[in-house]
Amino acid sequence: MTIAQLCLLVACVLPVLCAGLAKSKGFGKRRRDGGFDNHAPREWLALLQGWQARANAAQANSWEALPVFIAGLFVAHQHQAAQATVDALAAGFIAARLAFIGLYLADQAWLRSVVWVAGLAACVALFFVR
């Protein structure tokens, strides 16, 4: 497994981890006591506030970022790009995503946006590596 492939696996798991963070407020509680409601999960998540609400937003953004990353890796593979370059860009994307999630949870909006652009730049670069 290449580093890029490992990064792809991590990118696929990140939204799930964000969802777990968002839902953590309801862990160990009964639904009637405010615990997570798996019968109406979107409605329950929409009522979250604070860092849990931001974790849910980070989950959504992580799902949104995933297709561009996958497409970039696919195109880089089709171009038979240098694996070291692809690995470095993939690792950069994951680093940016981890920073993005941390900054989202910490409510650092401006810096979060800067890091988001860095992650997008890594994805776009994957389309042009040879």
Side-chain angles (χ1 to χ4, degrees):
M1 179 178 278
T2 67
I3 291 172
Q5 290 168 332
L6 181 60
C7 289
L8 177 57
L9 178 59
V10 170
C12 290
V13 172
L14 283 177
V16 178
L17 295 177
C18 289
L21 289 172
K23 294 174 184 177
S24 66
K25 179 180 180 181
F27 291 164
K29 295 181 185 177
R30 294 180 182 162
R31 187 174 56 201
R32 68 175 178 239
D33 297 327
F36 180 69
D37 184 358
N38 203 35
H39 293 278
R42 292 177 191 250
E43 291 84 354
W44 188 88
L45 287 165
L47 296 175
L48 293 176
Q49 296 179 7
W51 71 267
Q52 285 101 352
R54 292 190 299 275
N56 188 45
Q59 172 200 191
N61 187 273
S62 294
W63 286 120
E64 293 160 2
L66 190 57
V68 179
F69 181 55
I70 293 169
L73 288 176
F74 179 77
V75 170
H77 179 73
Q78 278 193 316
H79 289 159
Q80 298 178 344
Q83 191 62 51
T85 304
V86 175
D87 288 344
L89 289 168
F93 173 76
I94 293 300
R97 290 307 304 171
L98 290 170
F100 175 88
I101 291 166
L103 291 165
Y104 217 142
L105 296 177
D107 199 17
Q108 298 294 312
W110 185 85
L111 191 52
R112 179 188 83 222
S113 295
V114 170
V115 171
W116 179 88
V117 169
L120 179 63
C123 291
V124 171
L126 285 166
F127 283 85
F128 298 99
V129 296
R130 299 282 181 220

